[in-house]
Amino acid sequence: MLLRNLKAPDGVFIDLLVEDGKIVAIGLVGTLAASDEEIDCGGRLVFPGFVDAHAHIDKTLLGLGWYRNEVGPSLQDMFDNERNLRMERAIDFHQQSATVARRMIAAGTTATRTFVDIDTDIGLKGFEGVLRTREDLARGLSIQIVAFPQSGMLVRPGTVELLEEALEQGAEVIGGLDPSAVDRDPKGHLDTIFGLAEKYDRDIDIHLHEPGELGAFDLEEIVERTKRLGFQGRVVISHAFCLGTIDDAYFGRLVELLLENDIAIMSHGPSGPRVPPPVKQLRNAGVRMCTGNDGIRDSWGPLNMPDMLLRTFLLAYRNNFRRDEDIQVALDIATYGGAQVIGDAEYGLEPGNRADLVVLDGENQLEAIFERPERWLVMKGGNVVARDGACLV
Ligand SMILES: [Zn+2]
């Protein structure tokens, strides 16, 4: 298939040839030979597919009617609220994850890393539902699954065994959560997570909401194990709010540790009063970063949308970015940064890469972040999987 007359990120008008699911040639507009199958893109902008590197597609309430959220302020309130909600409403994890995955595809997301709750109440039901969605929608969206002990692990005996089952059945990543605040046993929690990662040869992605010195302590514990087990390049710390609240000298030391051990940071530009990790300083130092929509229309994120252009906007907004080059960094994190963190080696708008791309109206990329127009065309692995804002898979 030949996509004619696209505006490349640098503003040059190009043609782009796709064969066998890959981008095989890019030339100035009008320079590539005609093809049996052509789409005139009318000078619209082309982006590489968006990468939502931190989602929770098992939790969404999209399509279930408005959920009246009366959750309390603490993290524990949020855990309890969600578990109660799951008891009250029988959530069909397959249907719910498919609903939000289709919305992601319609908005140009072509790959996601999604955390899936595993606990002793629901067992592997959420995981099995997301596994089915991964199969059903593989044509439109790559779904990488993190086995995630959202309700705690050591405080709920039986959880570790369930996590192991999920890893045996195809979860690509082992997740962890606030080792001190939730399990109240940082050594036990992290030794278990890293032990599972080593046993099953899986990457690690840890939610670290803990603020200030406590979060920084656990971050150092994560670093220490990453180094000891040779897991450099395989660990992500999600949220890492501690990096936004410690003093400059300590921040500098932690950044050095992150770099030495090639640990990536996920930030989604959280709402206040939490202070996000400073994206610009981390990126300038060379720390790998990704972003994602986190909980989408669920009891945690009732207003979060499945749209990575909106997430890019929020990440830039929360970091007080004004200069084009800074906002561009936020977009880079939502595309190339995410692809790198989830281990997609065939990603990008260059010949040889898989044809995952998004076409939409706009003067340039930054204007598109501001306007967030309907996605005119989304291509995944060379297949058109969304047109005019509607998912086709
Ligand atoms: Zn999360």
Side-chain angles (χ1 to χ4, degrees):
M1 183 181 288
L2 183 63
L3 300 178
R4 286 245 189 242
N5 197 15
L6 290 161
K7 197 187 236 188
D10 61 4
V12 174
F13 290 96
I14 57 166
D15 292 343
L16 187 150
L17 183 64
V18 175
E19 273 175 22
D20 299 326
K22 292 192 170 189
I23 299 169
V24 293
I26 293 178
L28 292 175
V29 68
T31 60
L32 296 188
S35 166
D36 291 345
E37 223 181 336
E38 291 192 10
I39 297 178
D40 181 357
C41 297
R44 291 180 176 84
L45 289 167
V46 61
F47 291 73
F50 301 125
V51 180
D52 188 335
H54 187 114
H56 294 260
I57 67 172
D58 55 326
K59 294 171 185 272
T60 189
L61 302 169
L62 270 172
L64 293 182
W66 191 257
Y67 161 67
R68 184 176 172 79
N69 200 333
E70 295 180 306
V71 67
S74 75
L75 205 56
Q76 193 57 48
D77 291 334
M78 292 185 207
F79 295 142
D80 295 344
N81 183 58
E82 179 170 55
R83 273 213 307 281
N84 293 337
L85 168 70
R86 276 203 315 239
M87 298 290 190
E88 286 162 20
R89 294 188 184 199
I91 305 276
D92 179 334
F93 298 104
H94 173 230
Q95 183 188 307
Q96 288 311 106
S97 57
T99 298
V100 71
R102 288 198 169 91
R103 290 278 295 265
M104 292 163 107
I105 294 165
T109 296
T110 52
T112 185
R113 168 179 282 187
T114 189
F115 294 78
V116 179
D117 285 11
I118 288 170
D119 67 35
T120 47
D121 288 344
I122 58 160
L124 295 178
K125 287 199 194 86
F127 172 69
E128 286 158 359
V130 175
L131 268 187
R132 283 179 64 197
T133 293
R134 172 158 85 178
E135 268 179 47
D136 292 351
L137 301 184
R139 204 167 152 269
L141 179 68
S142 303
I143 298 178
Q144 190 179 69
I145 297 177
V146 187
F148 182 51
Q150 172 78 82
S151 302
M153 187 171 65
L154 306 178
V155 287
R156 295 183 143 248
T159 306
V160 175
E161 290 75 10
L162 289 166
L163 292 170
E164 289 212 51
E165 267 187 66
L167 293 170
E168 278 163 12
Q169 290 177 36
E172 290 95 344
V173 182
I174 176 73
L177 169 76
D178 293 337
S180 296
V182 176
D183 274 343
R184 295 187 168 265
D185 179 0
K187 182 176 187 313
H189 183 93
L190 291 174
D191 285 347
T192 304
I193 296 296
F194 276 84
L196 290 175
E198 210 180 15
K199 180 175 174 187
Y200 292 94
D201 191 20
R202 302 297 155 83
D203 289 2
I204 297 171
D205 199 324
I206 300 176
H207 279 63
L208 195 64
H209 306 96
E210 296 161 352
E213 301 280 331
L214 179 62
F217 167 80
D218 275 331
L219 191 147
E220 288 197 59
E221 291 293 303
I222 293 167
V223 166
E224 193 271 320
R225 285 163 179 78
T226 303
K227 191 172 183 176
R228 179 150 46 87
L229 297 179
F231 261 65
Q232 291 86 351
R234 303 187 63 181
V235 178
V236 179
I237 300 177
S238 283
H239 299 304
F241 296 136
C242 59
L243 292 173
T245 47
I246 51 176
D247 66 46
D248 288 351
Y250 196 8
F251 176 79
R253 283 211 308 283
L254 292 184
V255 166
E256 268 172 42
L257 291 174
L258 293 173
L259 286 170
E260 275 168 29
N261 294 282
D262 196 11
I263 294 172
I265 298 292
M266 189 300 297
S267 180
H268 73 321
S271 54
R274 289 176 298 191
V275 181
V279 166
K280 200 170 160 180
Q281 284 94 312
L282 289 167
R283 279 279 301 214
N284 285 348
V287 175
R288 291 182 298 123
M289 292 201 72
C290 61
T291 188
N293 286 309
D294 210 0
I296 297 162
R297 177 84 200 103
D298 62 13
S299 65
W300 293 78
L303 297 178
N304 283 349
M305 298 279 291
D307 182 351
M308 289 306 292
L309 276 185
L310 175 60
R311 184 53 52 191
T312 302
F313 171 95
L314 292 168
L315 187 63
Y317 189 86
R318 188 68 175 98
N319 280 275
N320 210 17
F321 290 165
R322 289 191 176 82
R323 293 172 61 84
D324 280 19
E325 65 188 41
D326 292 340
I327 300 170
Q328 197 75 45
V329 165
L331 178 63
D332 190 58
I333 290 170
T335 51
Y336 288 90
Q340 204 283 332
V341 166
I342 67 172
D344 186 349
E346 296 186 320
Y347 179 87
L349 287 179
E350 298 84 28
N353 288 324
R354 207 177 44 254
D356 291 1
L357 52 89
V358 189
V359 181
L360 50 83
D361 284 310
E363 183 186 333
N364 58 45
Q365 291 192 327
L366 269 63
E367 198 236 12
I369 295 166
F370 171 75
E371 292 284 357
R372 301 187 296 284
E374 189 174 84
R375 312 305 125 90
W376 187 75
L377 177 145
V378 180
M379 183 176 270
K380 168 76 179 167
N383 295 307
V384 175
V385 294
R387 278 306 295 263
D388 300 319
C391 176
L392 303 177
V393 291

